[in-house]
Amino acid sequence: MSMTIARSTRTHLDWLESEAIHILREVAAECARPVLLFSGGKDSCVLLRLAEKAFRPGRFPFPLMHIDTGHNFSEVIEFRDRRVAELGEDLIVRGVEDSIARGTVVLRHATDSRNAAQATTLLESIAEFGFDACIGGARRDEEKARAKERICSFRDEFGQWDPKAQRPELWNLYNTRVHPGENIRVFPISNWTELDVWQYIEREQLSLPSLYYAHERDVVRRQGLLVPVTPLTPPREGERPERLTVRFRTVGDVSCTCPVASDAATPADIIAETAVTTITERGATRMDDQTSEASMERRKKQGYF
């Protein structure tokens, strides 16, 4: 008797997509008040596409939320609002400016990076709306502290993360139980790499802020990074601005996010470039992650996403 063995035609992106959709549906079913964090960045754009596949033709079973530092690139904020309008979903915006006005965030200087201060505003927003699960686009390959986290990462009643006391996750079994005041951070694309994200963006033909693609910009060279010349990050004494062709691998706070030299103008160009890069996304672009080996882990313990 002959036997035909069916060969799967599913790609690795199909498997990653299925896993992420399963996680989104699991959280929507098990959590009382989830929220999806949407910043306008490429990873959260992928999350929106996955949410469309998980829940359309209905509306998303959770609102979107952006913790705005007030120092975001204008191109990203314009894209964020346009994308939300296209989807017809609800967007909650809470700003670090509000926390500064309340006195819960105190900066030494008005132009200081507000990236870390987002943790305070996020925790205040979680308490305000009673969210028990915050879904975000963090990936394990971005940075060492993120590599330690589970897909459903537990936070105590103070919003703090203890990397030594994480719940086990066996196969696709996720523990979404929390006590009042506690919450979980959920990372449906935790197992994706930067290359996977760009391959998915190309496959799904997702639109992104223009900053992700090659463009000319004035920069200065500082501590191995290309620092964009902006009102928040002007040249220091002795630094000479250069006009270079660059793109951003991540689009965070203006005060701490740097571009990389690149001529990549399409997703296909970026896929080819990403396939051979030897520096992690955050290592190549984020000033705040270079202050110490444990910068991200310390911020996450304090409540940062």
Side-chain angles (χ1 to χ4, degrees), residues 2-302:
S2 64
M3 180 180 294
T4 301
I5 300 176
R7 303 184 66 178
S8 173
T9 58
R10 302 183 70 191
T11 68
H12 79 288
L13 289 181
D14 294 326
W15 287 103
L16 290 171
E17 178 187 73
S18 295
E19 179 189 58
I21 289 173
H22 168 69
I23 294 165
L24 286 169
R25 289 175 174 167
E26 179 78 3
V27 171
E30 295 293 330
C31 296
R33 184 71 171 141
V35 65
L36 189 151
L37 301 182
F38 177 59
S39 64
K42 67 181 188 308
D43 298 316
S44 55
C45 287
V46 167
L47 276 186
L48 289 189
R49 181 60 173 156
L50 293 166
E52 285 185 280
K53 293 198 174 188
F55 304 113
R56 289 295 192 236
R59 297 195 64 185
F60 296 169
F62 36 67
L64 311 178
M65 183 166 74
H66 182 209
I67 303 300
D68 189 345
T69 63
H71 286 171
N72 288 286
F73 292 96
S74 59
E75 296 94 331
V76 178
I77 297 301
E78 183 276 331
F79 174 86
R80 178 200 71 184
D81 293 342
R82 175 162 47 85
R83 187 74 189 103
V84 171
E86 290 170 352
L87 289 168
E89 298 291 341
D90 297 325
L91 174 68
I92 299 167
V93 178
R94 289 294 181 269
V96 173
E97 289 279 1
D98 300 326
S99 299
I100 294 173
R102 284 190 291 269
T104 50
V105 167
V106 178
L107 302 176
R108 288 180 301 174
H109 306 289
T111 56
D112 281 354
S113 173
R114 299 179 176 182
N115 200 34
Q118 287 182 94
T120 299
T121 310
L122 174 62
L123 294 178
E124 291 172 347
S125 302
I126 290 171
E128 177 184 356
F129 294 98
F131 293 129
D132 58 351
C134 297
I135 305 165
R139 309 185 321 269
R140 289 195 173 103
D141 77 326
E142 286 182 78
E143 199 275 338
K144 288 179 286 189
R146 289 187 167 175
K148 293 181 181 179
E149 289 216 69
R150 303 290 193 265
I151 286 176
C152 289
S153 190
F154 173 75
R155 299 293 193 275
D156 67 17
E157 61 271 35
F158 303 105
Q160 296 178 328
W161 173 59
D162 182 355
K164 297 180 180 178
Q166 299 188 82
R167 295 169 172 174
E169 287 183 340
L170 304 177
W171 304 288
N172 61 348
L173 301 177
Y174 305 110
N175 190 335
T176 58
R177 294 183 180 180
V178 294
H179 297 293
E182 299 172 341
N183 64 84
I184 53 172
R185 312 292 170 85
V186 184
F187 308 111
I189 63 169
S190 186
N191 290 331
W192 298 42
T193 65
E194 183 183 9
L195 184 60
D196 296 327
V197 166
W198 276 107
Q199 289 174 328
Y200 195 73
I201 288 168
E202 182 187 47
R203 189 183 88 170
E204 300 293 317
Q205 299 184 349
L206 302 183
S207 59
L208 295 177
S210 59
L211 295 176
Y212 279 111
Y213 301 106
H215 58 282
E216 288 193 346
R217 178 176 293 271
D218 289 334
V219 299
V220 294
R221 299 179 188 273
R222 187 181 302 162
Q223 297 177 347
L225 298 173
L226 298 178
V227 179
V229 176
T230 72
L232 288 171
T233 53
R236 294 175 180 171
E237 185 176 351
E239 291 180 334
R240 177 181 298 178
E242 301 175 65
R243 189 77 173 172
L244 298 181
T245 301
V246 299
R247 69 174 180 88
F248 286 83
R249 289 174 68 180
T250 180
V251 290
D253 193 271
V254 173
S255 62
C256 63
T257 306
C258 298
V260 296
S262 172
D263 295 318
T266 68
D269 294 339
I270 295 174
I271 288 168
E273 199 172 82
T274 304
V276 297
T277 190
T278 57
I279 303 177
T280 65
E281 180 179 324
R282 297 189 70 92
T285 64
R286 301 301 289 266
M287 287 183 278
D288 54 337
D289 287 338
Q290 297 195 342
T291 54
S292 82
E293 284 285 309
S295 295
M296 174 64 82
E297 183 161 326
R298 184 171 60 252
R299 290 202 302 275
K300 291 179 83 69
K301 287 179 178 178
Q302 295 168 347

